[in-house]
Amino acid sequence: MIGKLVVGGTKIDLTEGIPFPLNYSIADVKEPQKRKRNFSKEIVLEGTQKNLDFFSSTYQLGLSTVGNTTSIGFNYDPTIRIPAKYYNGGLLIFNGLFRLNEVSIIDGNYSFKCTLFSNFIDLFMKLGDLKLGELDWSEYTHTLNRTNVINSFDTSVIVNGTPTSNFTGAVPDGFGYCYGMIDYGYTAFSTKDTTDIVPLIYAKEAVEKCLAVAGMTYSSAYFDSDLFKKIMIGFGGGEKISVPASEVVNRRVNWTEDINNVEQITYISSTPISGSSNHFRFLKNKWISLIDESFGVTPTLISDNFDQYYLDHTDVGQGTDGRITIAKKGFYNLSVSQDITTSLTIGAMVLQQGVFNTNWILLKNGVEILSLPVQSAEGFGTDSIAVNQGLQLDVGDILEIRYNVYIDATYKFLAPITITIDDANTTVIDLTCIQATLQDGDDVEIARFIPEMKASEFMEGIITMGNLALSDPDIFDVVTIEPLEEFYLPSTDFWDITQIVDHSREIKIKPASTIEGKIYKFKWDEDKDFDSLEYRSFFQIGYGDHWHTVPSTFQTGERVYKVPFAQTIPTDAIYPFVAPRIISVDSSSGVIKPFKGKPRIYLYNGMKAGKWRLKDTNGNGKDDLTEYPSMHHFDDWENPAFDLNFGLPILFDYNAPSVTTDNLFTRYHERFIKEITGRDSKIVELYAKLSNNDINRLNFAKSIMWNGVLFRLNLIQDFDPNVTDSTKIELVKILEAKNKRTGFEERVDSNQIKTILKKESPSGIGADVGVIWGGIQEKLNNSFVIRG
């Protein structure tokens, strides 16, 4: 029976006898950290006229022929993927996507090699190298100010310029951003400005933006849960985010100018110097502003988007004309190129003695910060000024460039003296912002605070953390996404295959524990921030990691579940706050510095008690607050019900009131891992006489019954009812043991801690630095929670 393949609404011609092998899978039991989905083996379609028309139109297939008989060339777009459905016996047995792999021509006859694959596979194909920050977060661009920062804690965010509530009660709705309290080593914890804390995004919205790239419509109680809505993604620390390039351009002040200054010098009096009848003293200490037209300077402005340069001196009055008043805080470079010619005309007078100096001066807020003595001679001359000066400037700082002329001379005879200052070449002055952090009033572009990671890596991490399973699209093309623990139906709802097992073919039953892997490691990505390094050096395991050892004594090797996020260790280094910290510490001085690390993930804990001050970047405004937006790996560090870790940490850097052992491993992975590694676990490979109706109604969430024993369906391999009457399937025996989410707590004294640590704390770092282990001796009298 020939099936029916419909691609993009077009029925494709199929040929009798052409194999159409389909594979269905929920996971690879041999490598459970990897997800495999439904796909077909390569299918060869003949180049009928209908098929040629379809591929020519859909795949932009370029066909070149001679006399309408001999093909001489073609090309096509291999990136195109089209929705496809395959029916057999009138029943839908594959719903996914279609891809053209290869076109071949033999004796003028075309054939097309194609594959079908699931939407899940397409998701990662489409995400490709797309970065998480490139998923378009522009709707959340907002002005940096204390109001917007504080509102994000538990009230609202800016969406397309409008304040929008994103909390229901005390629970976030999972969209927008939140300026979570995390110590990046910028400043003291109790006083922060608006750039010392940065916006985090919600994992739920990041997932939705990823799925939207593949056009996937999904249903998920997991993603819609209050718990998942609290998961937040943040950048891994480092220096403060600089302003965008476009903003740097706006801050530039750039101009050229011509100088033409002529002035007569007055003398003290017409009375000759005592003891002489015809000697007169001339004294002049004169400066001109080289950026002020009132002194004979003619500027031509090139760039000044923030109106920082006062071009018209009549606007503000003498004394403030021509100055640059900084509009945006940042690190700038002042570049000046000037050739200044200074000449002195004395007429018929004769110099008896005197001092002649010129000096180029840069002032900041009226204080000289750079001085270049350039001339000291009677006749003066041309001074070539070349300056490249780095300047840290704040809002309101005033810059001014002056050229000072000093004359204290005695002349024989009396006549007018004239000073002329001119530029031999056109002067070029350029003040450019070369590095700047945001300040109040700047636009915050959320994408710039999203960690540098691929969207596909992010999705892989989210799937691995929750051990998520994705269904095939239903008749409405909706994909169900749930953890395996919730994905499977109750064991009372099963499919009994006992009567359709093909006993003429080999049945293999083997212990699942024979699968390679003695230790299953569930790990966060390793990072080298101070706290993480110290924890790993003491315990030889990452904070929040978990290792599950297979009870079989014959197994070797490891299986690693690793997510692309680093875990962040909370601390009470600045009491009473308990907050994650990402820092480095200078080993010789103990000075804390920012650390640029890997992407981080947190659980929003709501508002916790703690007094602190939030101030503007310029220090002009402040709010004294009594609560802070708490982030942690617990859902509530004061009374936790869930831990966003794979394992309970061995030691906490704060006095934990209570802990929980309900975590990523116990909730989402433990049962599945024990089913494939336990002493009683079994893997069965057999052949069953599956029908089109069986595949049409296929549901991996339903248990399989065989000879009175329950299994999970793991794999259907090469189903093709036109070629064989039985198909290979793989089953995993269900173990009835449930997770133990009872939680426990064990308190130990200082001697026990010393025994557990088995090494001294690092030397040379004082407890005042707030380090996790440096101050451990002071904490030995306190209670710590130890994992048993």
Side-chain angles (χ1 to χ4, degrees):
M1 179 185 300
I2 301 178
K4 181 175 72 172
L5 177 62
V6 179
V7 182
T10 300
K11 181 182 177 183
I12 302 299
D13 285 344
L14 300 179
T15 306
E16 187 78 47
I18 295 295
F20 212 104
L22 299 171
N23 295 272
Y24 305 88
S25 172
I26 192 169
D28 186 346
V29 71
K30 301 172 184 64
E31 293 184 288
Q33 73 275 28
K34 298 181 180 179
R35 297 295 190 276
K36 293 187 177 181
R37 293 303 303 162
N38 305 344
F39 65 95
S40 72
K41 289 190 175 179
E42 195 163 69
I43 304 160
V44 181
L45 303 176
E46 290 189 0
T48 65
Q49 187 59 52
K50 185 176 182 180
N51 288 350
L52 278 171
D53 291 343
F54 167 77
F55 285 108
S56 298
S57 172
T58 305
Y59 283 88
Q60 304 169 26
L61 186 66
L63 306 177
S64 302
T65 60
V66 175
N68 295 321
T69 56
T70 305
S71 173
I72 61 173
F74 59 87
N75 58 71
Y76 67 95
D77 185 352
T79 65
I80 296 175
R81 296 180 286 274
I82 306 170
K85 296 182 179 182
Y86 178 66
Y87 301 83
N88 200 303
L91 298 172
L92 177 65
I93 62 173
F94 195 99
N95 186 1
L97 295 157
F98 179 90
R99 180 175 62 184
L100 174 60
N101 301 326
E102 183 181 314
V103 182
S104 65
I105 308 172
I106 302 176
D107 295 332
N109 296 316
Y110 286 83
S111 63
F112 304 94
K113 296 181 179 180
C114 315
T115 51
L116 300 176
F117 55 92
S118 72
N119 296 62
F120 176 72
I121 296 174
D122 182 58
L123 168 63
F124 290 93
M125 288 181 176
K126 286 188 174 179
L127 289 176
D129 292 330
L130 190 68
K131 298 293 181 63
L132 191 60
E134 296 173 341
L135 295 176
D136 188 9
W137 302 83
S138 59
E139 68 266 39
Y140 298 121
T141 298
H142 61 277
T143 301
L144 181 64
N145 57 48
R146 284 176 286 119
T147 298
N148 287 339
V149 170
I150 293 172
N151 284 345
S152 78
F153 296 165
D154 61 352
T155 305
S156 64
V157 293
I158 301 298
V159 181
N160 294 320
T162 302
T164 304
S165 173
N166 68 332
F167 277 79
T168 301
V171 178
D173 295 325
F175 72 88
Y177 54 88
C178 178
Y179 283 79
M181 188 62 79
I182 296 160
D183 186 1
Y184 297 107
Y186 298 147
T187 187
F189 203 87
S190 57
T191 300
K192 292 187 176 294
D193 68 35
T194 50
T195 60
D196 290 329
I197 52 178
V198 302
L200 314 175
I201 61 171
Y202 290 92
K204 173 179 168 60
E205 186 167 24
V207 166
E208 291 172 345
K209 287 182 180 290
C210 287
L211 296 176
V213 170
M216 292 178 66
T217 303
Y218 74 95
S219 171
S220 175
Y222 175 73
F223 287 151
D224 292 337
S225 67
D226 286 349
L227 179 62
F228 193 79
K229 290 176 182 177
K230 294 180 180 180
I231 298 179
M232 309 210 71
I233 308 299
F235 90 129
E239 298 299 330
K240 293 184 179 182
I241 300 294
S242 61
V243 298
S246 59
E247 175 70 7
V248 170
V249 171
N250 285 335
R251 298 181 182 190
R252 185 179 186 183
V253 184
N254 184 24
W255 73 93
T256 61
E257 64 187 26
D258 291 318
I259 303 171
N260 184 17
N261 179 271
V262 178
E263 183 171 340
Q264 287 192 346
I265 296 180
T266 59
Y267 43 85
I268 293 178
S269 72
S270 59
T271 303
I273 296 175
S274 177
S276 173
S277 60
N278 59 356
H279 286 60
F280 298 87
R281 182 186 181 202
F282 288 76
L283 180 63
K284 187 69 176 179
N285 186 11
K286 170 185 173 53
W287 61 267
I288 67 167
S289 173
L290 293 182
I291 55 177
D292 188 346
E293 60 183 347
S294 66
F295 290 99
V297 178
T298 305
T300 301
L301 204 57
I302 298 173
S303 175
D304 185 18
N305 290 342
F306 287 144
D307 295 325
Q308 299 173 97
Y309 172 62
Y310 289 114
L311 179 59
D312 186 355
H313 68 278
T314 61
D315 287 346
V316 293
Q318 192 75 14
T320 57
D321 324 348
R323 299 179 178 184
I324 303 172
T325 303
I326 302 303
K328 299 288 184 177
K329 178 180 179 179
F331 190 74
Y332 290 75
N333 183 73
L334 177 65
S335 173
V336 180
S337 175
Q338 291 181 317
D339 291 326
I340 302 177
T341 299
T342 306
S343 60
L344 182 66
T345 304
I346 63 174
M349 294 188 301
V350 177
L351 174 66
Q352 298 302 300
Q353 62 181 4
V355 176
F356 308 87
N357 287 323
T358 59
N359 195 19
W360 187 97
I361 303 170
L362 174 65
L363 298 100
K364 174 183 173 182
N365 299 328
V367 178
E368 182 181 301
I369 60 173
L370 180 62
S371 177
L372 300 175
V374 289
Q375 285 290 342
S376 181
E378 176 186 353
F380 298 101
T382 300
D383 302 323
S384 294
I385 309 298
V387 172
N388 276 287
Q389 179 70 33
L391 300 167
Q392 180 63 49
L393 300 173
D394 291 325
V395 177
D397 281 349
I398 297 175
L399 291 183
E400 189 170 2
I401 300 172
R402 294 181 181 179
Y403 192 69
N404 191 73
V405 178
Y406 178 80
I407 299 174
D408 187 357
T410 301
Y411 286 94
K412 185 178 181 180
F413 309 122
L414 181 62
I417 296 178
T418 302
I419 298 175
T420 302
I421 301 175
D422 197 359
D423 51 349
N425 298 294
T426 300
T427 293
V428 178
I429 301 178
D430 191 348
L431 181 67
T432 303
C433 182
I434 58 175
Q435 180 183 4
T437 56
L438 296 175
Q439 65 168 6
D440 289 88
D442 285 336
D443 283 341
V444 177
E445 298 175 6
I446 291 297
R448 305 189 75 241
F449 293 88
I450 294 175
E452 187 73 10
M453 68 185 311
K454 292 181 179 180
S456 58
E457 293 175 342
F458 165 78
M459 281 302 299
E460 288 175 356
I462 293 297
I463 290 170
T464 299
M465 287 171 61
N467 199 17
L468 302 183
L470 287 79
S471 74
D472 295 321
D474 61 17
I475 59 174
F476 303 107
D477 288 327
V478 175
V479 176
T480 299
I481 307 175
E482 300 292 354
L484 279 178
E485 285 290 295
E486 283 76 34
F487 183 80
Y488 289 118
L489 297 173
S491 58
T492 53
D493 189 355
F494 58 84
W495 173 25
D496 193 339
I497 65 167
T498 304
Q499 301 303 316
I500 62 172
V501 172
D502 186 353
H503 292 279
S504 68
R505 307 189 69 170
E506 182 181 19
I507 297 175
K508 296 181 180 179
I509 304 175
K510 53 187 177 182
S513 58
T514 59
I515 299 172
E516 181 183 357
K518 176 69 174 177
I519 301 176
Y520 282 72
K521 292 186 175 182
F522 293 81
K523 300 177 59 177
W524 298 100
D525 203 358
E526 292 186 6
D527 214 342
K528 297 181 180 180
D529 62 280
F530 178 78
D531 295 334
S532 296
L533 282 176
E534 292 298 296
Y535 187 96
R536 196 176 297 113
S537 71
F538 270 87
F539 302 116
Q540 288 75 54
I541 188 173
Y543 186 89
D545 292 351
H546 176 72
W547 296 359
H548 174 77
T549 303
V550 177
S552 170
T553 59
F554 302 103
Q555 290 304 98
T556 59
E558 298 177 351
R559 293 287 182 187
V560 178
Y561 289 69
K562 186 177 179 180
V563 294
F565 310 103
Q567 189 55 278
T568 315
I569 299 177
T571 177
D572 63 355
I574 302 182
Y575 185 82
F577 303 102
V578 172
R581 182 173 63 176
I582 310 172
I583 62 169
S584 63
V585 177
D586 186 278
S587 59
S588 58
S589 67
V591 174
I592 289 178
K593 298 180 294 185
F595 173 83
K596 182 175 178 56
K598 297 177 180 179
R600 304 300 173 114
I601 191 165
Y602 310 96
L603 274 172
Y604 176 74
N605 274 216
M607 303 300 290
K608 296 293 184 182
K611 293 182 179 181
W612 63 294
R613 172 171 292 178
L614 178 65
K615 61 184 182 66
D616 296 339
T617 52
N618 58 19
N620 291 336
K622 67 182 188 309
D623 280 297
D624 290 319
L625 306 173
T626 58
E627 293 180 314
Y628 67 97
S630 177
M631 301 290 160
H632 204 282
H633 54 80
F634 286 144
D635 60 340
D636 181 350
W637 66 265
E638 292 177 311
N639 186 28
F642 179 76
D643 184 4
L644 195 67
N645 270 323
F646 292 110
L648 185 66
I650 298 171
L651 183 69
F652 292 91
D653 192 38
Y654 67 95
N655 292 325
S658 64
V659 299
T660 178
T661 56
D662 187 4
N663 52 43
L664 292 175
F665 178 75
T666 57
R667 182 175 290 197
Y668 302 123
H669 293 272
E670 184 176 28
R671 184 178 180 184
F672 178 70
I673 293 299
K674 287 183 176 180
E675 283 181 352
I676 65 173
T677 62
R679 289 187 177 90
D680 297 326
S681 62
K682 298 291 185 293
I683 293 178
V684 176
E685 294 179 359
L686 52 75
Y687 289 81
K689 297 179 179 180
L690 302 179
S691 67
N692 291 322
N693 190 55
D694 293 329
I695 298 299
N696 174 258
R697 296 183 302 176
L698 182 64
N699 185 356
F700 276 92
K702 183 175 289 190
S703 303
I704 301 294
M705 175 72 76
W706 177 52
N707 286 338
V709 179
L710 285 175
F711 296 84
R712 299 199 193 282
L713 177 61
N714 192 64
L715 172 69
I716 296 177
Q717 184 175 332
D718 296 342
F719 171 76
D720 189 347
N722 298 322
V723 175
T724 179
D725 62 350
S726 62
T727 302
K728 183 178 180 179
I729 66 175
E730 183 178 81
L731 307 173
V732 179
K733 184 182 177 182
I734 293 177
L735 302 180
E736 293 302 323
K738 301 295 183 181
N739 291 341
K740 295 180 180 179
R741 299 178 184 171
T742 57
F744 63 91
E745 181 176 326
E746 181 182 352
R747 299 288 179 177
V748 297
D749 61 23
S750 60
N751 291 326
Q752 288 176 295
I753 290 179
K754 291 176 182 177
T755 301
I756 292 169
L757 294 182
K758 295 182 180 178
K759 61 169 67 178
E760 298 298 325
S761 61
S763 61
I765 303 177
D768 58 323
V769 179
V771 298
I772 195 166
W773 307 116
I776 196 168
Q777 296 300 325
E778 292 187 10
K779 294 192 173 187
L780 290 178
N781 293 326
N782 296 330
S783 296
F784 287 89
V785 177
I786 298 297
R787 178 163 59 87

